[in-house]
Amino acid sequence: MVATSSNAKVISDLEYDLLAVLKNKTEAIEIYNTYMQDAQEMDSQPCVQLFEKLQQEEMRQAEEVRHHLQEVMQKGKM
Protein backbone atom coordinates (compact mmCIF):
# COMPACT_ATOMS: atom_id res chain seq x y z
CA MET A 1 0.00 0.00 0.00
CA VAL A 2 1.23 3.50 -0.81
CA ALA A 3 0.29 5.96 1.94
CA THR A 4 0.61 9.64 2.67
CA SER A 5 1.68 11.07 6.01
CA SER A 6 -1.94 11.02 7.20
CA ASN A 7 -2.13 7.28 6.37
CA ALA A 8 -4.68 7.86 3.58
CA LYS A 9 -4.00 5.66 0.57
CA VAL A 10 -2.77 7.42 -2.54
CA ILE A 11 -3.50 4.32 -4.62
CA SER A 12 -5.07 1.04 -3.64
CA ASP A 13 -3.06 -2.11 -3.10
CA LEU A 14 -4.67 -3.55 -6.24
CA GLU A 15 -3.64 -0.54 -8.34
CA TYR A 16 -0.10 -0.83 -6.98
CA ASP A 17 -0.01 -4.55 -7.75
CA LEU A 18 -1.21 -4.02 -11.32
CA LEU A 19 1.32 -1.23 -11.84
CA ALA A 20 4.10 -3.51 -10.56
CA VAL A 21 3.03 -6.31 -12.92
CA LEU A 22 2.84 -3.88 -15.84
CA LYS A 23 6.32 -2.56 -15.05
CA ASN A 24 7.71 -6.10 -14.95
CA LYS A 25 6.01 -6.98 -18.25
CA THR A 26 7.42 -3.92 -20.01
CA GLU A 27 10.91 -4.70 -18.73
CA ALA A 28 10.57 -8.27 -20.00
CA ILE A 29 9.43 -6.99 -23.41
CA GLU A 30 12.54 -4.86 -23.67
CA ILE A 31 14.99 -7.55 -22.56
CA TYR A 32 13.70 -9.96 -25.23
CA ASN A 33 15.27 -7.63 -27.81
CA THR A 34 18.67 -8.43 -26.28
CA TYR A 35 17.89 -12.14 -26.24
CA MET A 36 16.86 -12.05 -29.90
CA GLN A 37 20.06 -10.22 -30.82
CA ASP A 38 22.13 -12.81 -28.95
CA ALA A 39 20.33 -15.62 -30.77
CA GLN A 40 20.89 -13.88 -34.11
CA GLU A 41 24.59 -13.54 -33.36
CA MET A 42 24.69 -17.31 -32.74
CA ASP A 43 22.75 -17.86 -35.98
CA SER A 44 19.97 -19.63 -34.08
CA GLN A 45 16.76 -18.79 -35.92
CA PRO A 46 14.67 -21.20 -33.81
CA CYS A 47 15.73 -19.31 -30.68
CA VAL A 48 15.03 -15.96 -32.34
CA GLN A 49 11.55 -17.20 -33.16
CA LEU A 50 11.04 -18.47 -29.62
CA PHE A 51 12.06 -15.12 -28.12
CA GLU A 52 9.81 -13.28 -30.58
CA LYS A 53 6.91 -15.52 -29.59
CA LEU A 54 7.58 -14.99 -25.89
CA GLN A 55 7.88 -11.23 -26.40
CA GLN A 56 4.55 -11.13 -28.23
CA GLU A 57 2.92 -13.03 -25.39
CA GLU A 58 4.36 -10.55 -22.88
CA MET A 59 2.94 -7.72 -25.01
CA ARG A 60 -0.49 -9.33 -25.02
CA GLN A 61 -0.35 -9.86 -21.28
CA ALA A 62 0.84 -6.29 -20.68
CA GLU A 63 -2.10 -4.98 -22.67
CA GLU A 64 -4.48 -7.12 -20.61
CA VAL A 65 -2.95 -5.86 -17.36
CA ARG A 66 -3.18 -2.29 -18.66
CA HIS A 67 -6.87 -2.77 -19.38
CA HIS A 68 -7.48 -4.09 -15.87
CA LEU A 69 -5.50 -1.21 -14.37
CA GLN A 70 -7.58 1.34 -16.27
CA GLU A 71 -10.79 -0.28 -15.06
CA VAL A 72 -9.62 -0.41 -11.45
CA MET A 73 -8.44 3.20 -11.54
CA GLN A 74 -11.74 4.38 -12.99
CA LYS A 75 -14.14 2.21 -10.99
CA GLY A 76 -12.14 1.16 -7.97
CA LYS A 77 -12.49 -2.52 -8.91
CA MET A 78 -13.17 -4.87 -11.82
Side-chain angles (χ1 to χ4, degrees):
M1 157 182 45
V2 178
T4 63
S5 59
S6 65
N7 248 1
K9 289 184 181 180
V10 175
I11 63 172
S12 72
D13 290 342
L14 183 56
E15 289 170 315
Y16 181 88
D17 295 344
L18 289 166
L19 281 168
V21 170
L22 187 58
K23 178 185 179 286
N24 290 334
K25 292 288 179 192
T26 56
E27 289 173 351
I29 290 166
E30 289 299 315
I31 199 68
Y32 276 117
N33 291 326
T34 299
Y35 299 161
M36 284 184 275
Q37 183 178 3
D38 291 346
Q40 286 170 345
E41 288 173 6
M42 295 297 295
D43 197 27
S44 178
Q45 192 57 33
C47 289
V48 171
Q49 291 171 343
L50 172 64
F51 293 138
E52 286 174 344
K53 178 181 172 183
L54 294 171
Q55 184 184 51
Q56 289 170 0
E57 183 61 25
E58 292 284 354
M59 288 178 183
R60 186 198 63 74
Q61 291 173 358
E63 186 57 37
E64 185 176 359
V65 171
R66 187 173 162 269
H67 169 73
H68 281 262
L69 177 60
Q70 288 174 325
E71 289 288 315
V72 170
M73 291 181 79
Q74 290 174 357
K75 300 175 184 173
K77 63 180 181 177
M78 278 253 354

